[in-house]
């Protein structure tokens, strides 16, 4: 279990030998991750009600719903989750490494390989809808598309090197940020897809992944996905 479940060899080498300072897009072949974690398995996980209620967030266009909207008697209600999804909401399943044995092994293997702690989330978004709006993260992220496609728009960072509580987006947020971003083109626009071309990392090149694509995203940007 290692980063090679998520990235091809060039991506793994780059991640282990230098601290990246910009996003990178990679082609990836289907493998054990895709056999174990896919649209069918995620849908089954949602429909069983086994997802811990505290690890679910339901959002649409940047607005999060109250937790009671997906719970009954304090527990996950799969019928409510299904209705919310069909109504256009994104379902975020948090910390899957705590509840899915395969992903616990993946997480542990990556920590042993890199020396860094990590966690695994899944975002399930209905076609043509958007869950999160502009924001930036405090963590380095590797995003793997396991079904469908999703467009990521990335802008230059407002603040250098946000880490943990330092310059977290909600702590330093200014409503004027979004109009400034929208007034200019994104620095990079990436279409992560399954079995289709991914958006190129630059204007003069293109990639056609045989199975899917992955984005290594380095917490330096604001993203609209």
């Amino acid at each position: 279990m290692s980063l090679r479940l998520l990235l091809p060899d060039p991506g793994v080498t780059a991640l282990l030998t230098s601290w990246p300072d910009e996003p990178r897009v990679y082609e990836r072949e289907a493998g054990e991750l895709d056999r174990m974690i896919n649209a069918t398995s995620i849908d089954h996980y949602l429909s069983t009600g086994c997802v811990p209620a505290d690890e679910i967030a339901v959002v649409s266009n940047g607005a999060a719903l109250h937790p009671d909207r997906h719970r009954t008697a304090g527990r996950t209600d799969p019928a409510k989750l299904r209705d919310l999804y069909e109504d256009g909401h994104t379902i975020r399943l948090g910390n899957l490494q705590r509840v899915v044995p395969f992903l616990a092994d993946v997480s542990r293997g990556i920590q042993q390989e890199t020396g860094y702690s990590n966690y695994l989330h899944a975002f399930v978004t209905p076609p043509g809808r958007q869950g999160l709006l502009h924001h930036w993260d405090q963590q380095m992220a590797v995003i793997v598309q396991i079904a469908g496609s999703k467009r990521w728009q990335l802008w230059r960072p407002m603040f250098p090197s946000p880490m943990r509580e330092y310059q977290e987006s909600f702590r330093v947020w200014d409503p004027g940020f979004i109009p400034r971003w929208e007034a200019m083109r994104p620095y990079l626009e990436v279409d992560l897809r399954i079995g289709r071309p991914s958006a190129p990392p630059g204007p003069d090149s293109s990639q056609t992944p045989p199975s899917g694509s992955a984005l290594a995203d380095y917490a330096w940007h604001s993203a609209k996905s």
Side-chain angles (χ1 to χ4, degrees), residues 41-167:
S41 65
I42 291 293
D43 184 70
H44 182 62
Y45 185 49
L46 281 168
S47 66
T48 60
C50 291
V51 187
D54 290 341
E55 295 291 2
I56 297 173
V58 180
V59 295
S60 180
N61 292 315
L65 298 185
H66 190 279
D68 285 347
R69 291 288 302 276
H70 65 262
R71 299 177 181 181
T72 296
R75 298 183 177 181
T76 299
D77 188 322
K80 287 184 177 179
L81 281 178
R82 176 63 60 185
D83 289 343
L84 291 168
Y85 174 83
E86 292 178 351
D87 194 40
H89 292 80
T90 289
I91 312 297
R92 189 222 67 189
L93 309 175
N95 289 299
L96 294 177
Q97 80 283 356
R98 296 178 180 172
V99 291
V100 179
F102 173 78
L103 293 179
D105 292 338
V106 172
S107 175
R108 190 176 301 111
I110 291 174
Q111 181 165 346
Q112 291 172 349
E113 185 176 29
T114 64
Y116 290 97
S117 61
N118 60 82
Y119 59 87
L120 295 94
H121 288 356
F123 292 82
V124 185
T125 301
R129 297 303 185 100
Q130 180 167 335
L132 301 178
L133 292 180
H134 304 70
H135 67 282
W136 62 84
D137 297 318
Q138 310 303 105
Q139 303 86 14
M140 180 184 298
V142 176
I143 299 104
V144 178
Q145 193 75 18
I146 63 171
S149 65
K150 182 171 287 188
R151 175 165 295 176
W152 292 74
Q153 296 176 325
L154 296 92
W155 282 262
R156 289 287 188 180
M158 297 299 297
F159 299 94
S161 304
M163 298 294 289
R164 296 187 182 275
E165 292 82 11
Y166 176 66
Q167 294 177 338

